C-alpha cells in the first residue's frame, strides 16, 4: 500500500517536471547564465537592481526603450555606446565601453535584463542575437 | 550558593560584552616612531604617527586645495578616474551614501583624487560631480600632476596605481578614513556596501573622540 502511494507521488512529480515546457526550460537556461554574466560584466555600473548611477549611468528599467530598440540591444552590449541616449525621459551622455561578448552570452545577458528589474520581454535566443548583430552600425 | 555563582558568572559575561560593544576609539594605522624630547629638564618620549604629507591639488570648482584646507576636517579619501569602466561606478555609488549621510556636517569631507588628470580636467570633474548629484563643498574631486597623485597614494597606504598595456589604470577600491591630525584611522573596501556601512559608523565614532572636537 505504502509503495503504491510512493509510486503515484513519483509519477505525479515526473509529470509536473515534464509539464515545464521546452520553451520554459530554454528561458530558464538563458536567464540563469545571464544573471551570472550580468553580475560580472554589467552590475558595477548598472547596479544590483539595474538602477544605474545618478545622471552618469542610465538605469535598465525603461521598458519602452527596451521594446522600441529591441533589435539594437545586442549591438549596444557588444560594441558599447558612443552616442547620447534618452532613458526614462533623461539624457545620458557618457560612453558605455564595449563588452565584446559572444552571441550566446549576449543572448543570455539580454534575456536576464529584459526579464528583470520590472521588465518582461521573454527569451532572447542566440539566433536572434546573431541576426541583430548583422544590422549593427 | 550555586545559583549565586551562576548569577555572578552571567553578570561577568554581561559586563564583558558591554565593554567590548562600547568601543570609543578607532585604531591609528601606519608606521609609528618614538621621539624622545627634553621638556623642562625632563625626558619625555612621544609617539609620532604616520600622517598624510603636504599636497596641493585643484578641485572641481578650479580652487586650490591643500592639506591645510583639510586640517580641521575628518575626511574620506579615494582614488578614481571619471572614465573608469570597472570598479569606480560601484565605489561612488557607495560613496554617495557617505556623502548623503554627512553633507550637512561641516566637519566631514570626501576627497576623490583622479589618477587620470590628462582626461579629468577641472571641467570634466565638475561635470562628473554634477551628474553624480554632488553640490557644495563637502565632496572634492581633485586633480594635479599624475606623479604627485601616484606618490601621494602611497602615503594613504593603498596600492600605487599602475597603467597596463591598454593605457587603462589599475587601482584598488579602498576608502581611507583620515582624522583631523591627518592620521589614517581606517581603510574600507569601497566596492562592498557592508564595509561602507562600517565606514559611516566609524566616522560617527571618530567624531566623538575628544581630540577630534577642536573648534574651527
Amino acid at each position: 500500500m505504502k509503495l503504491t502511494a510512493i509510486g503515484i507521488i513519483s509519477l505525479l512529480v515526473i509529470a509536473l517536471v515534464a509539464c515545464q515546457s521546452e520553451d520554459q526550460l530554454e528561458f530558464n537556461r538563458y536567464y540563469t547564465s545571464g544573471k551570472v554574466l550580468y553580475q560580472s560584466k554589467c552590475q558595477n555600473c548598472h547596479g544590483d537592481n539595474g538602477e544605474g548611477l545618478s545622471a552618469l549611468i542610465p538605469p535598465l528599467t525603461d521598458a519602452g526603450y527596451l521594446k522600441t530598440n529591441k533589435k539594437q540591444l545586442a549591438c549596444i552590449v557588444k560594441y558599447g555606446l558612443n552616442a547620447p541616449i534618452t532613458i526614462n525621459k533623461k539624457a545620458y551622455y557618457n560612453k558605455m565601453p564595449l563588452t565584446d561578448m559572444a552571441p550566446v552570452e549576449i543572448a543570455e545577458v539580454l534575456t536576464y535584463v529584459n526579464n528583470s528589474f520590472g521588465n518582461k520581454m521573454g527569451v532572447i535566443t542566440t539566433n536572434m542575437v546573431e541576426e541583430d548583430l548583422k544590422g549593427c552600425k | 550558593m550555586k545559583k549565586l555563582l551562576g548569577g555572578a558568572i552571567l553578570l561577568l559575561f554581561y559586563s564583558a560584552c558591554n565593554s567590548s560593544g562600547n568601543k570609543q576609539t578607532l585604531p591609528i594605522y601606519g608606521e609609528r616612531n618614538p621621539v624622545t624630547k627634553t621638556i623642562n629638564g625632563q625626558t619625555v618620549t612621544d609617539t609620532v604617527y604616520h600622517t598624510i604629507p603636504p599636497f596641493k591639488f585643484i578641485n572641481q570648482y578650479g580652487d586650490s586645495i591643500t592639506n591645510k584646507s583639510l586640517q580641521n576636517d575628518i575626511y574620506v579619501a579615494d582614488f578614481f578616474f571619471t572614465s573608469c569602466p570597472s570598479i569606480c561606478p560601484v565605489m561612488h555609488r557607495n560613496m554617495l551614501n557617505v556623502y548623503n549621510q554627512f553633507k550637512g556636517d561641516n566637519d566631514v569631507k570626501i576627497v576623490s583624487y583622479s589618477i587620470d588628470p590628462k582626461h579629468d580636467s577641472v571641467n570634466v570633474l565638475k561635470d562628473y560631480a554634477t551628474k553624480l548629484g554632488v553640490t557644495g563643498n563637502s565632496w572634492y574631486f581633485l586633480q594635479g600632476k599624475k606623479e604627485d597623485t601616484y606618490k601621494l597614494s602611497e602615503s594613504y597606504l593603498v596600492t600605487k596605481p599602475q597603467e597596463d598595456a591598454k593605457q587603462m589604470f589599475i587601482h584598488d577600491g579602498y576608502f581611507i578614513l583620515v582624522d583631523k591630525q591627518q592620521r589614517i584611522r581606517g581603510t574600507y573596501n569601497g566596492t562592498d556596501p557592508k564595509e561602507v556601512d562600517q565606514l559611516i559608523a566609524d566616522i560617527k565614532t571618530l567624531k566623538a573622540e575628544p581630540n577630534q572636537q577642536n573648534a574651527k
Side-chain angles (χ1 to χ4, degrees):
Chain A
M1 182 61 209
K2 231 184 194 171
L3 266 180
T4 331
I6 292 173
I8 289 172
I9 289 171
S10 349
L11 271 179
L12 273 176
V13 169
I14 291 167
L16 205 70
V17 173
C19 275
Q20 244 193 347
S21 65
E22 212 31 52
D23 287 352
Q24 185 63 39
L25 281 176
E26 183 185 41
F27 174 86
N28 289 353
R29 264 201 306 273
Y30 276 106
Y31 186 89
T32 315
S33 313
K35 184 173 186 175
V36 177
L37 277 169
Y38 180 83
Q39 286 167 344
S40 68
K41 306 245 181 191
C42 318
Q43 187 168 298
N44 268 345
C45 291
H46 289 291
D48 301 12
N49 301 306
E51 74 272 28
L53 177 59
S54 304
L56 286 169
I57 297 162
L60 303 173
T61 54
D62 187 340
Y65 179 90
L66 293 176
K67 255 192 203 107
T68 322
N69 298 280
K70 197 174 173 190
K71 294 212 159 297
Q72 270 82 57
L73 299 178
C75 298
I76 296 176
V77 173
K78 186 168 170 71
Y79 298 110
L81 196 62
N82 230 334
I85 182 173
T86 303
I87 297 293
N88 292 335
K89 294 181 189 144
K90 269 167 69 186
Y92 294 83
Y93 299 92
N94 287 30
K95 283 185 205 165
M96 168 172 154
L98 56 87
T99 63
D100 211 14
M101 287 195 244
V104 57
E105 294 177 305
I106 297 174
E108 288 163 351
V109 89
L110 281 179
T111 299
Y112 176 71
V113 168
N114 287 354
N115 295 283
S116 302
F117 324 131
N119 304 320
K120 218 165 181 59
M121 286 169 57
V123 70
I124 309 266
T125 63
T126 311
N127 284 343
M128 289 157 80
V129 167
E130 276 168 346
E131 202 51 45
D132 290 346
L133 286 177
K134 287 181 194 157
C136 291
K137 284 165 218 156
Chain B
M1 184 59 208
K2 247 188 188 165
K3 251 187 196 165
L4 203 69
L5 198 69
I9 288 171
L10 266 181
L11 198 71
L12 204 70
F13 271 111
Y14 177 74
S15 54
C17 288
N18 217 13
S19 64
S20 63
N22 211 352
K23 163 172 100 165
Q24 291 294 333
T25 56
L26 299 177
I28 298 169
Y29 290 94
E31 256 180 57
R32 54 187 68 184
N33 293 305
V35 170
T36 309
K37 284 185 283 196
T38 311
I39 298 170
N40 298 334
Q42 281 197 324
T43 316
V44 183
T45 304
D46 221 348
T47 311
V48 175
Y49 292 98
H50 170 84
T51 56
I52 304 302
F55 61 81
K56 191 174 180 204
F57 289 88
I58 307 286
N59 72 4
Q60 73 267 38
Y61 304 114
D63 299 330
S64 149
I65 299 295
T66 69
N67 51 306
K68 286 221 170 94
S69 334
L70 296 168
Q71 69 184 353
N72 281 316
D73 293 311
I74 289 168
Y75 71 93
V76 182
D78 74 352
F79 293 83
F80 86 114
F81 59 110
T82 61
S83 55
C84 165
S86 54
I87 58 173
C88 309
V90 68
M91 284 165 66
H92 281 176
R93 183 181 295 119
N94 291 333
M95 192 69 103
L96 266 178
N97 290 342
V98 182
Y99 169 76
N100 287 324
Q101 188 88 32
F102 295 103
K103 65 182 166 189
D105 187 331
N106 280 330
D107 277 353
V108 180
K109 281 195 166 43
I110 300 169
V111 176
S112 291
Y113 296 95
S114 167
I115 56 174
D116 182 16
K118 203 169 146 195
H119 176 266
D120 291 346
S121 62
V122 168
N123 281 337
V124 169
L125 291 175
K126 176 72 172 44
D127 185 53
Y128 180 85
T130 308
K131 284 182 179 161
L132 197 58
V134 173
T135 53
N137 282 302
S138 64
W139 188 346
Y140 290 141
F141 297 87
L142 301 184
Q143 67 111 271
K145 273 202 204 120
K146 194 159 84 179
E147 302 80 56
D148 293 351
T149 312
Y150 282 25
K151 184 104 190 61
L152 188 67
S153 75
E154 292 174 343
S155 69
Y156 282 105
L157 310 178
V158 298
T159 317
K160 195 174 171 182
Q162 293 167 27
E163 285 155 65
D164 70 8
K166 282 195 217 153
Q167 295 286 300
M168 295 300 294
F169 298 87
I170 301 165
H171 61 125
D172 62 20
Y174 276 91
F175 292 170
I176 304 100
L177 177 59
V178 181
D179 70 12
K180 291 186 177 180
Q181 288 76 33
Q182 278 90 51
R183 300 174 303 188
I184 295 176
R185 304 303 295 273
T187 60
Y188 311 84
N189 179 354
T191 61
D192 181 349
K194 278 200 204 94
E195 292 206 18
V196 177
D197 286 345
Q198 184 60 51
L199 165 63
I200 292 171
D202 283 357
I203 293 173
K204 290 175 184 162
T205 307
L206 182 58
K207 272 172 62 79
E209 282 183 19
N211 61 3
Q212 303 301 317
Q213 305 279 329
N214 55 332
K216 292 211 173 188

